[in-house]
């Protein structure tokens, strides 16, 4: 069976990408060349307190899902939104693949794939 759907779980240290179908899943883990340190915003300091976008990392993640038919982007923080903005700005043809963006804390691989299967089962019923 082929893998039409994909899910990405991303933070600033790694991206876990799964291409899956109802019975099978393939995993790919992508790490940035220069991982960002965890930043905390303190009162009285300038700046947003977020790690800057690593466009090479985001591009590698975008390319990892380029052959999917639909992608759910998840993660606990700002990296998922940076990935969407990167795709919109630098990989525009992939924008149409984004089925949704959700905040998901730190699930296991099995929990993440189960969540994606449930999401796309409902999403596919709505779009057909």
């Amino acid at each position: 069976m082929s893998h039409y759907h994909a899910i990405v779980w991303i933070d600033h240290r790694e991206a876990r990408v799964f291409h899956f179908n109802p019975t099978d899943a393939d995993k790919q883990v992508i790490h940035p060349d220069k991982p960002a340190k965890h930043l905390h915003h303190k009162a009285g300091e300038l700046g947003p307190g977020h790690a800057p976008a690593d466009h090479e990392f985001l591009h590698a993640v975008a390319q990892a899902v380029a052959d999917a038919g639909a992608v759910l982007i998840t993660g606990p923080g700002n990296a998922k939104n940076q990935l969407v903005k990167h795709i919109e700005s630098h990989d525009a043809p992939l924008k149409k693949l984004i089925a949704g963006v959700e905040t998901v804390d730190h699930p296991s691989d099995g929990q993440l794939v189960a969540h994606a299967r449930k999401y796309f089962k409902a999403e596919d019923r709505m779009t057909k």
Side-chain angles (χ1 to χ4, degrees):
M1 267 182 134
S2 65
H3 299 140
Y4 180 81
H5 296 108
I7 185 167
V8 174
W9 182 93
I10 186 170
D11 68 9
H12 292 288
R13 286 173 270 147
E14 73 174 10
R16 292 184 286 157
V17 179
F18 294 88
H19 291 264
F20 64 93
N21 60 34
T23 60
D24 185 42
D26 293 329
K27 177 182 177 181
Q28 180 180 4
V29 179
I30 302 167
H31 295 278
D33 288 336
K34 300 172 193 159
K37 293 181 181 175
H38 188 72
L39 299 177
H40 292 280
H41 185 69
K42 296 178 184 173
E45 288 187 7
L46 297 176
H50 299 292
D54 179 343
H55 291 285
E56 290 179 24
F57 172 55
L58 297 173
H59 182 70
V61 175
Q63 292 306 300
V65 298
D67 61 343
V71 179
L72 176 60
I73 298 174
T74 66
N78 196 39
K80 66 186 174 297
N81 299 322
Q82 288 179 344
L83 176 59
V84 171
K85 288 178 185 175
H86 174 85
I87 289 171
E88 290 172 350
S89 298
H90 302 285
D91 293 302
L94 302 181
K95 183 180 176 184
K96 69 181 187 298
L97 303 179
I98 300 172
V101 179
E102 293 187 352
T103 299
V104 176
D105 195 21
H106 290 84
S108 68
D109 292 349
Q111 290 170 325
L112 189 62
V113 172
H115 175 73
R117 285 183 175 132
K118 184 177 177 181
Y119 176 89
F120 280 113
K121 186 174 182 180
E123 180 71 17
D124 287 348
R125 268 189 262 136
M126 289 174 33
T127 57
K128 290 182 181 180

